[in-house]
């Protein structure tokens, strides 16, 4: 795998690995995984564009978010193509609680941008980690495609984190640790709906007769 140092950095940044049960459920729900993956790419592009519109006075952010948005839209097109090749209908499905679960803890005012960027780093890092967790179990074409995404998703993680460090007036370590704990809970806690960024789904027990 290219750039092992980047992967090691991502593994150290994330507070926990993806649960094995989630990987098993991903393989059982590959259609949903791919549909939600497409939605995640589209949402990532939208988030980058939103930052470009809100923070027009930050050239470094504008350049990195512009590149990120183009890449995410390309990934969206590629995943939609994979869906078509596999005869899977692309349609809207509800979002995972993951991103909203992180964003509900954002601060407002002058600290909002820093939190948005830190959350972006976690989302991109987790995406990269999940690709790596899935690759050994996928068919060859999909594994090859996900392997190709690892480098770009890893760069997006670094872009978000470096921008957060650049614009902060003091250390962001404490804030990273804060979101890491929330991210860990979202990834490890039982979920009720399988998604690309969900926790493992635990079947509901049948009601007593």
């Amino acid at each position: 795998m290219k750039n092992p140092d980047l992967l090691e950095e991502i593994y150290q940044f994330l507070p926990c690995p993806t649960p094995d049960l989630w990987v098993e459920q991903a393989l059982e729900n590959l259609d949903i995984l791919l549909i939600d993956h497409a939605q995640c790419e589209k949402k990532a592009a939208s988030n980058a564009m939103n930052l470009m519109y809100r923070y027009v006075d930050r050239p470094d952010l504008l350049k990195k978010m512009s590149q990120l948005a183009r890449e995410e839209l390309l990934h969206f097109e590629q995943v939609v193509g994979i869906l078509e090749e596999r005869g899977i209908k692309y349609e809207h499905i509800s979002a995972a609680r993951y991103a909203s679960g992180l964003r509900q803890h954002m601060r407002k005012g002058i600290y909002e941008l820093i939190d948005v960027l830190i959350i972006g780093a976690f989302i991109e890092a987790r995406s990269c980690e999940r690709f790596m967790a899935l690759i050994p179990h996928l068919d060859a074409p999909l594994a090859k495609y996900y392997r190709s995404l690892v480098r770009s998703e890893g760069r997006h993680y670094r872009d978000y984190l470096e921008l957060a460090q650049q614009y902060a007036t003091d250390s962001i370590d404490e804030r990273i640790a804060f979101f890491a704990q929330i991210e860990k809970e979202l990834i490890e806690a039982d979920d009720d709906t399988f998604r690309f960024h969900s926790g493992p789904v635990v079947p509901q027990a049948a009601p007593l007769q």
Side-chain angles (χ1 to χ4, degrees):
M1 179 58 59
K2 294 180 179 179
N3 207 342
D5 292 341
L6 175 58
L7 287 174
E8 185 59 33
E9 180 183 330
I10 286 172
Y11 293 147
Q12 292 179 5
F13 177 76
L14 293 171
C16 64
T18 287
D20 291 339
L21 179 57
W22 181 91
V23 176
E24 295 174 13
Q25 292 171 344
L27 301 176
E28 295 169 356
N29 296 276
L30 200 55
D31 290 11
I32 296 175
L33 177 81
L34 288 169
I35 293 170
D36 197 44
H37 178 189
Q39 291 193 165
C40 288
E41 299 288 3
K42 184 167 57 174
K43 185 65 175 177
S46 175
N47 289 338
M49 291 292 293
N50 286 339
L51 287 172
M52 291 172 64
Y53 278 108
R54 290 190 63 184
Y55 300 98
V56 298
D57 58 336
R58 299 176 187 266
D60 290 341
L61 182 146
L62 294 175
K63 292 175 184 177
K64 289 186 176 181
M65 290 301 104
S66 177
Q67 180 183 17
L68 189 151
R70 291 197 303 272
E71 289 183 344
E72 300 290 21
L73 283 175
L74 175 60
H75 297 163
F76 169 72
E77 295 172 13
Q78 291 170 340
V79 179
V80 169
I82 291 172
L83 290 169
E84 291 178 338
E85 291 172 0
R86 294 173 180 246
I88 303 170
K89 181 182 178 182
Y90 176 59
E91 56 189 354
H92 177 75
I93 58 176
S94 60
R97 61 194 173 104
Y98 178 78
S100 61
L102 290 168
R103 292 188 177 116
Q104 70 180 7
H105 297 280
M106 289 192 314
R107 297 168 293 182
K108 299 299 181 181
I110 61 174
Y111 299 108
E112 182 175 358
L113 175 59
I114 305 305
D115 284 358
V116 168
L117 294 170
I118 292 172
I119 290 169
F122 273 106
I123 293 174
E124 297 291 344
R126 181 58 66 184
S127 297
C128 190
E129 187 265 351
R130 292 217 148 162
F131 291 143
M132 291 300 299
L134 288 167
I135 284 169
H137 309 286
L138 298 173
D139 58 79
L142 190 55
K144 181 180 179 180
Y145 176 63
Y146 274 11
R147 195 173 292 114
S148 74
L149 294 183
V150 169
R151 184 174 182 178
S152 59
E153 299 297 336
R155 186 177 64 255
H156 297 166
Y157 144 76
R158 274 187 173 166
D159 285 346
Y160 274 118
L161 195 60
E162 288 172 359
L163 287 171
Q165 293 167 335
Q166 177 179 336
Y167 296 136
T169 56
D170 49 21
S171 173
I172 61 173
D173 290 348
E174 184 176 337
R175 203 61 185 161
I176 290 174
F178 171 79
F179 280 111
Q181 183 58 41
I182 296 168
E183 206 264 356
K184 176 179 171 66
E185 293 171 1
L186 290 166
I187 289 299
E188 293 186 335
D190 296 346
D191 225 319
D192 58 5
T193 306
F194 174 81
R195 293 291 184 267
F196 186 83
H197 285 111
S198 69
V201 178
V202 176
Q204 299 296 314
L208 296 176
Q209 301 295 324

